[in-house]
Amino acid sequence: MSSSVANNPARGHGGEGDPRDEVEAMTTSQSPARAATRSPWLMLAMATIGFAVNFWAWALISPLGPLFRTTGSLGPLTESDVALLVAVPVVVGSLGRIVVGGLTDRYGGRVMFPIVSGVTILPILFIAFAALDSYALLLVGGFFLGIAGTAFAVGVPFVNAWFPPDKRGLAIGVFGAGMGGTAISALTTVKLTDHLGAKSPFLITAAVLACYAVAAWLVLRDAPGRVVPTSSLASRISVNARLAITWQACILYAVAFGGYVAFSVYLPAYLKTAHHLTAADAANRMAGFVLIAVIMRPVGGWLADKVGAIPVLATGFGIVVVCAGISAGTPPLHGIGTLAFLAMAAALGSGSGATFALIAKVTEPSRVGGVTGLVGAAGGLGGFIPPLIMGYVYGRTDSYAIGLWLLSGTAALALLLTLTIVRRTATKGQETR
């Protein structure tokens, strides 16, 4: 191995896993001198835009779920049918992160951002021209639309490599704010459908993705000295899955980001059914929930840099325990009901940012993409299950209380895990780096 690799400050030491499992070489998709001409903040901005645009695409079906049920354009739909429709892209985008995160470690964000953005255009066009009047075809289109959700696993290792350890929490938190792309979808999809036709939100999103894919290819550069693994994807996934921080962060992120995703995709249906709001009003309120979570994600990363990830995570999960319990009683939205949902949004957003700040501090940089893929998959799956449970429970009981109490209990378990096992892992990991 060359001296330039041995002296590479981005690589770090003390990461878990046998180094013999992976032979690494300092290679990038361009020369270090050329990459160094790029500003880390420009790279962060481009990555965040890419994340937001892809999440906009990923969430296109969610605001339309209640509308499909109201208009009957797909035939008679039950609450569970709508829940499945909006959840399918979530689970595909989540599982796909495992592979995409590993591919990003190997090929870099400069290659993977344009690929993910370009490929996502295909299912969007399929939905626009072939699936809007068929529930079955919409499920198929939603399945492949899930590709957009894998952009998260591209951006985290890409951004992580551009920033020093003491700024990674903030940088990854800022990147994570791109999850606000779901708010763009919530605010525009129904309105565009009403005023310009059912195809319009899909065609506009496809055009934006095409423009971003071109811009990303021209502007993005991987960080100088990025360490590239040369072992197989399967072996890297296996090693990364055995790291203690991986499974612990998977649980934390499944609750924090999974809770956010669950609300962002299911909140319109919940508000329409439980509080009798119109589809447009429910979408607007969901956008407010998303906006608070988006703002708090970089705040959570910044606080994790300053005071540590454990206090931020513990506070966030504690708030969710209380507010989910309050929401289970279906309080009126004009008072404590809205405050409870907004407090949960802030807690879930900050917890999501703090989780990846923790990963960045205790994980070897060359493994961040792989670990991110696994943790991101857990977060997405955490968002897939609750809507199905909520729809099932409501169909049997005409009440969302059981589902919200389950969220409160799950957050309590995450709080306990944070204050015990995760705290020890964080302390040990920072001592060895």
Side-chain angles (χ1 to χ4, degrees):
M1 183 177 294
S2 67
S3 61
S4 61
V5 176
N7 294 329
N8 174 21
R11 177 169 182 191
H13 298 281
E16 298 179 71
D18 190 342
R20 293 174 297 179
D21 291 339
E22 195 168 311
V23 179
E24 297 164 335
M26 190 194 78
T27 59
T28 59
S29 59
Q30 65 287 317
S31 69
R34 186 181 179 191
T37 63
R38 294 297 197 267
S39 161
W41 295 103
L42 173 61
M43 297 298 98
L44 173 58
M46 283 295 295
T48 303
I49 292 170
F51 184 27
V53 170
N54 277 279
F55 252 43
W56 175 9
W58 196 35
L60 278 172
I61 293 178
S62 173
L64 297 174
L67 193 62
F68 288 136
R69 190 179 183 192
T70 300
T71 62
S73 60
L74 300 180
L77 299 179
T78 66
E79 188 74 10
S80 295
D81 291 333
V82 173
L84 178 62
L85 186 64
V86 301
V88 164
V90 175
V91 71
V92 176
S94 303
L95 294 176
R97 291 174 188 175
I98 298 174
V99 174
V100 170
L103 291 174
T104 302
D105 278 342
R106 179 68 181 86
Y107 297 106
R110 197 255 174 162
V111 171
M112 294 302 297
F113 259 124
I115 288 178
V116 169
S117 301
V119 171
T120 300
I121 295 172
L122 299 178
I124 291 177
L125 295 179
F126 171 79
I127 293 173
F129 291 104
L132 287 176
D133 58 354
S134 168
Y135 182 78
L137 290 180
L138 202 54
L139 286 176
V140 173
F143 180 92
F144 290 100
L145 188 63
I147 294 170
T150 66
F152 178 75
V154 178
V156 171
F158 176 80
V159 170
N160 184 78
W162 271 103
F163 287 84
D166 62 338
K167 293 184 178 179
R168 285 176 183 162
L170 173 61
I172 295 174
V174 170
F175 166 75
M179 67 186 188
T182 56
I184 300 175
S185 179
L187 289 170
T188 63
T189 302
V190 174
K191 293 177 182 177
L192 288 171
T193 299
D194 290 342
H195 291 92
L196 299 178
K199 295 179 182 179
S200 61
F202 297 93
L203 298 181
I204 291 171
T205 308
V208 173
L209 279 169
C211 292
Y212 176 76
V214 173
W217 181 255
L218 295 175
V219 176
L220 289 182
R221 296 291 182 270
D222 292 311
R226 183 179 68 87
V227 179
V228 180
T230 57
S231 57
S232 70
L233 177 62
S235 66
R236 283 183 280 125
I237 290 175
S238 176
V239 170
N240 292 333
R242 295 197 297 270
L243 303 181
I245 186 59
T246 301
W247 70 263
Q248 292 167 21
C250 280
I251 295 174
L252 300 181
Y253 201 57
V255 179
F257 184 69
Y260 160 78
V261 171
F263 279 120
S264 66
V265 301
Y266 196 69
L267 200 54
Y270 166 83
L271 292 174
K272 184 176 181 297
T273 304
H275 294 279
H276 311 292
L277 301 183
T278 66
D281 192 12
N284 288 338
R285 289 177 182 269
M286 187 270 272
F289 179 94
V290 169
L291 180 61
I292 296 296
V294 166
I295 292 172
M296 289 303 298
R297 183 152 183 164
V299 172
W302 175 76
L303 286 173
D305 284 340
K306 298 300 181 183
V307 304
I310 301 302
V312 178
L313 286 164
T315 301
F317 289 133
I319 290 172
V320 174
V321 170
V322 174
C323 292
I326 292 173
S327 299
T330 318
L333 289 178
H334 62 265
I336 194 172
T338 294
L339 290 176
F341 273 110
L342 293 181
M344 278 196 289
L348 295 170
S350 62
S352 298
T355 300
F356 280 94
L358 175 63
I359 292 171
K361 283 181 169 58
V362 303
T363 306
E364 184 180 341
S366 64
R367 297 190 184 278
V368 168
V371 172
T372 295
L374 291 163
V375 175
L381 290 175
F384 173 73
I385 297 172
L388 297 180
I389 294 176
M390 294 284 277
Y392 177 83
V393 170
Y394 183 83
R396 300 300 185 277
T397 67
D398 286 334
S399 171
Y400 292 106
I402 295 175
L404 288 164
W405 278 117
L406 286 173
L407 172 62
S408 180
T410 302
L413 293 176
L415 173 60
L416 179 63
L417 178 69
T418 299
L419 294 175
T420 54
I421 298 173
V422 178
R423 184 191 294 276
R424 290 195 293 270
T425 298
T427 301
K428 178 181 177 182
Q430 293 183 50
E431 288 175 350
T432 58
R433 289 186 61 77

